[in-house]
Structures are given as C-alpha cells and as structure tokens.
Amino acid sequence: MTAGNLFCGFCAIMNILTYWMEEGKATSVPTYAHYYWAIGLILGACLFDALDGRIARMVGEESPFGREFDSLADTVSFGVAPALLVHDVVLRDIKGDHIGWFISFFYLLCGTMRLARFNCTAAAGPSAGASKDFQGCPIPAAAGVISSLTLLLLDLYEKEQQIGAWKYALVVVMIILSLLMFSSVPYPSFKGLGWKTKRSFPWVLGAMLVLMLVVWKPKIMFPTLFLGYLFYGLIRPWVSKRWIKEIEEDEDEEEVQPAGPTSGNPLP
C-alpha cells in the first residue's frame, strides 16, 4: 500500500513535468489532461495512505520501518507533488525573483517537518503518542485540499471563466495549510472507525448520498469534503463531546478493543 502511495506521487510529478515540457509545443487550445492525471494520482495516493496504516494494524505488522517508509512516500506524494502542481498552475505567474518557488518550498518544508515530528513522537513510545488525534493537519488532508481546489480551478479555466486575481486565493490556502500542518491544532485520525464499524440507518443513507454526489459532481464534492475536514478540525474544540464521539468513534469500540496497550500509533 505504501509503495502504491509512492508510485502515485512519482507519476503525479511526471505528469506535471510532462505538461511543462510540452506546453510550448502546443499549437491548438491547451489541454489540462496532464494536470487532471496528476490530481487524480494525488487523490489516489490519499487512498493508499488511508489503507496502509489500517492494514498494518489489522495484521499486526506495524514497525519502525513501515512508519519511516510511509513518511518518505508522503513527502513525495503529498509534499513535492502538490507543491509543483500549485506552482505550475498559479505561482509561476507571480512577478518577482522566484517568489513562487519560496511559497511552494514553504509548504514542502512544513509538511516534511510535520512528518519528522510525528516520527519522533512515535519513536518516543506509546505513552508519548497515545492520543488518537493528529497534532496539526495531516499532510494527506492538506494535499487533498490543494489538489481538489486546483481541480476546481482548472475546470473554471476550461469553461473560460474570468476569475482574475481570485486564483491567488489558492496561494493563501496553501500558506494557511502550511502553518496548520506544523501547528499544535488537534485533528481527528478516525482511528476509532474500523472495518466493522456499526452505524445507524441515517448514517448509512448519508454515506451513500455523499458517495453518489462524489460520482456525479467530483469537481465540487472533492473540495467540499477536504475543506470540510479542514474546518472541522478548527471548530472541533467547540463541538460537544457527544457529537465528537458520534462522528469519530464506533459505538462498540470499547467491546472490540483488546485489553492492554495498543500495538502502535496511527500513521500520518
């Protein structure tokens, strides 16, 4: 699963570079196919990243090697690839002495430092990382916000919508995400939701409705879902504990959890 994450990140970078190299050769209306592929691959890496930690815990194969490998793959898929994507779509139009380079690097720097902090906390032992929450916005979620908003931006470009300076809102979002990744704001890991999670019928119906909307309007729903997670982490301190437990934990979690310490921490 982690190798799949890394493969998606590598292919996303190759697609971004391919568009950059072929752009000058275009003789007709420019196509954003390579960008769409890159965004799809970054989102695919998010899926692989969500699976690797859960599968490792399920089969009892968590290890320091897996944690380090996962972080290195995340740096490529959710650090380098989104930074290049935003730079190529928006930041290279900024006038100045490589200002766009520094903004992209700032995002990559904060994301990498966040992963390093996570590994240090995990290496310190279970007592140091016992919380089910992530410290700071997880880098896959940050990459999901960036890539999904870029997807929406490209859709507006193709429809020849005049958005003017509004495209630089993506740059502001990128800087905010950079700060949130290395912040101490707690974000839910949803580790309490497992493969056998039991939910009431309204929850199942809602999940099916969201899935249908994603299939029907992916360019709108992906930004909505990722931004929803981003803002949920920010307003979470003011959400009642009852609602937090309802959203983030399985009703029968205490029954299915084995006694004693857990085998490890959630992967970033």
Side-chain angles (χ1 to χ4, degrees):
M1 294 296 104
T2 305
N5 171 2
L6 182 60
F7 177 75
C8 286
F10 170 75
C11 291
I13 292 171
M14 293 303 294
N15 272 280
I16 296 168
L17 295 179
T18 299
Y19 181 87
W20 179 74
M21 289 184 293
E22 293 184 354
E23 186 182 23
K25 304 176 185 178
T27 56
S28 58
V29 178
T31 175
Y32 300 115
H34 293 303
Y35 286 152
Y36 284 129
W37 272 107
I39 292 169
L41 287 162
I42 293 172
L43 296 176
C46 290
L47 178 61
F48 279 114
D49 186 71
L51 291 175
D52 63 2
R54 289 186 177 273
I55 292 176
R57 288 190 295 273
M58 183 176 65
V59 300
E61 291 293 338
E62 289 180 287
S63 67
F65 172 83
R67 183 172 60 245
E68 298 295 336
F69 184 27
D70 182 78
S71 292
L72 291 171
D74 286 357
T75 301
V76 175
S77 300
F78 309 129
V80 178
L84 285 176
L85 179 67
V86 175
H87 179 274
D88 220 39
V89 175
V90 177
L91 288 172
R92 65 175 177 172
D93 293 334
I94 296 179
K95 304 299 182 181
D97 190 14
H98 300 306
I99 294 177
W101 288 21
F102 288 105
I103 295 175
S104 295
F105 173 72
F106 181 66
Y107 168 83
L108 176 60
L109 174 66
C110 291
T112 305
M113 291 174 65
R114 187 213 174 278
L115 292 168
R117 182 180 65 183
F118 176 88
N119 287 351
C120 290
T121 303
S127 60
S131 174
K132 294 179 182 178
D133 294 339
F134 292 124
Q135 186 179 2
C137 179
I139 191 171
V145 171
I146 288 176
S147 57
S148 60
L149 287 177
T150 306
L151 178 66
L152 185 60
L153 184 64
L154 292 175
D155 184 53
L156 294 175
Y157 282 169
E158 287 198 323
K159 292 178 180 178
E160 299 182 351
Q161 298 286 338
Q162 298 297 325
I163 59 175
W166 281 103
K167 67 180 181 180
Y168 295 114
L170 182 59
V171 181
V172 177
V173 172
M174 190 178 191
I175 295 174
I176 293 173
L177 285 169
S178 303
L179 297 173
L180 282 175
M181 282 193 293
F182 201 60
S183 71
S184 58
V185 177
Y187 271 85
S189 66
F190 293 106
K191 187 183 177 183
L193 300 178
W195 301 105
K196 298 181 180 180
T197 295
K198 296 180 180 179
R199 289 293 177 180
S200 61
F201 179 73
W203 277 100
V204 176
L205 187 64
M208 292 176 62
L209 177 61
V210 170
L211 181 60
M212 288 188 292
L213 288 173
V214 168
V215 174
W216 182 40
K217 293 287 186 180
K219 295 177 181 178
I220 296 177
M221 287 304 298
F222 277 121
T224 301
L225 292 174
F226 281 109
L227 285 172
Y229 177 80
L230 181 68
F231 285 112
Y232 174 67
L234 294 175
I235 67 171
R236 191 164 168 252
W238 294 277
V239 177
S240 69
K241 292 183 178 180
R242 182 176 66 85
W243 274 100
I244 290 177
K245 186 175 181 180
E246 178 74 16
I247 294 170
E248 301 176 20
E249 298 181 8
D250 188 1
E251 295 175 357
D252 299 327
E253 183 188 5
E254 295 182 358
E255 298 178 14
V256 299
Q257 289 287 346
T262 57
S263 58
N265 302 301
L267 296 177

